[in-house]
Amino acid sequence: MEKDMIIVLDNIFMPNQVKVFREALTPSMQEPSFFKYGATHTSSRMCNRILEKAHEHIDLTKSIGYEYWTQQNTKPAGRHQDKDEKAFSKGITRFPMCSIVYYLTVDSLVGGELVVNDVEISAVPNRLVIFKPGLEHFVRPFAGNRVSIAVNPWDTKLYK
């Protein structure tokens, strides 16, 4: 992945697949959970398809699993990096192979742009955003309906 790489892909899934994703969405997944590849959960099919699409653009062959969580009209967090939070609390900084955001639903949205390295990316339904590990990012305040899925692949186990 190049130094400041940000990939934005639109209309990556067919409408019937998006409908299936919406039906299987786990709304309570607002805190990251780690899953090994092959693990089954209510949104594993969606996560695997998102990772397959990302793998078409970046090499994820060394990934052993992924973190997954949803943001459903959640108040935006401040500027941050996706990282192994438990390791960071011990003074160790480790990043996922990349950060992936998929916009499942966007209705009547005002604001809510994802800002990565000062690049603003609008929330658009069925949009996939992939960016280099360690890049600081945040979401602008918004009004309306915004459901995003975060999937971060890891090539190492997370700190316990």
Side-chain angles (χ1 to χ4, degrees), residues 38-95:
T40 303
H41 55 87
T42 56
S43 297
S44 58
R45 185 170 166 191
M46 176 182 65
C47 291
N48 288 328
R49 292 289 292 134
I50 289 169
L51 288 163
E52 287 169 9
K53 288 292 184 179
H55 184 63
E56 292 174 9
H57 301 274
I58 61 168
D59 184 8
L60 298 178
T61 55
K62 293 182 181 178
S63 178
I64 63 168
Y66 58 91
E67 284 180 292
Y68 151 67
W69 67 99
T70 62
Q71 297 290 322
Q72 295 183 291
N73 297 324
T74 307
K75 182 181 176 189
R79 187 177 293 264
H80 67 280
Q81 297 169 304
D82 292 343
K83 60 187 171 295
D84 183 334
E85 294 292 343
K86 289 181 183 174
F88 189 72
S89 71
K90 305 279 185 195
I92 303 165
T93 303
R94 298 183 348 178
F95 300 112

Side-chain angles (χ1 to χ4, degrees), residues 29-156:
M29 292 290 299
Q30 293 185 357
E31 291 295 320
S33 292
F34 184 82
F35 298 96
K36 290 183 178 180
Y37 281 112
T40 303
H41 55 87
T42 56
S43 297
S44 58
R45 185 170 166 191
M46 176 182 65
C47 291
N48 288 328
R49 292 289 292 134
I50 289 169
L51 288 163
E52 287 169 9
K53 288 292 184 179
H55 184 63
E56 292 174 9
H57 301 274
I58 61 168
D59 184 8
L60 298 178
T61 55
K62 293 182 181 178
S63 178
I64 63 168
Y66 58 91
E67 284 180 292
Y68 151 67
W69 67 99
T70 62
Q71 297 290 322
Q72 295 183 291
N73 297 324
T74 307
K75 182 181 176 189
R79 187 177 293 264
H80 67 280
Q81 297 169 304
D82 292 343
K83 60 187 171 295
D84 183 334
E85 294 292 343
K86 289 181 183 174
F88 189 72
S89 71
K90 305 279 185 195
I92 303 165
T93 303
R94 298 183 348 178
F95 300 112
M97 298 174 74
C98 65
S99 294
I100 304 169
V101 177
Y102 174 68
Y103 294 102
L104 182 61
T105 303
V106 179
D107 292 317
S108 304
L109 189 69
V110 176
E113 298 85 4
L114 172 65
V115 181
V116 182
N117 269 18
D118 298 323
V119 175
E120 287 193 14
I121 303 160
S122 296
V124 173
N126 204 15
R127 172 174 275 179
L128 189 72
V129 180
I130 308 163
F131 54 95
K132 178 183 170 285
L135 293 183
E136 286 193 349
H137 57 283
F138 67 96
V139 174
R140 294 209 185 279
F142 64 91
N145 187 26
R146 179 185 183 277
V147 179
S148 62
I149 312 302
V151 181
N152 290 345
W154 286 86
D155 58 0
T156 61

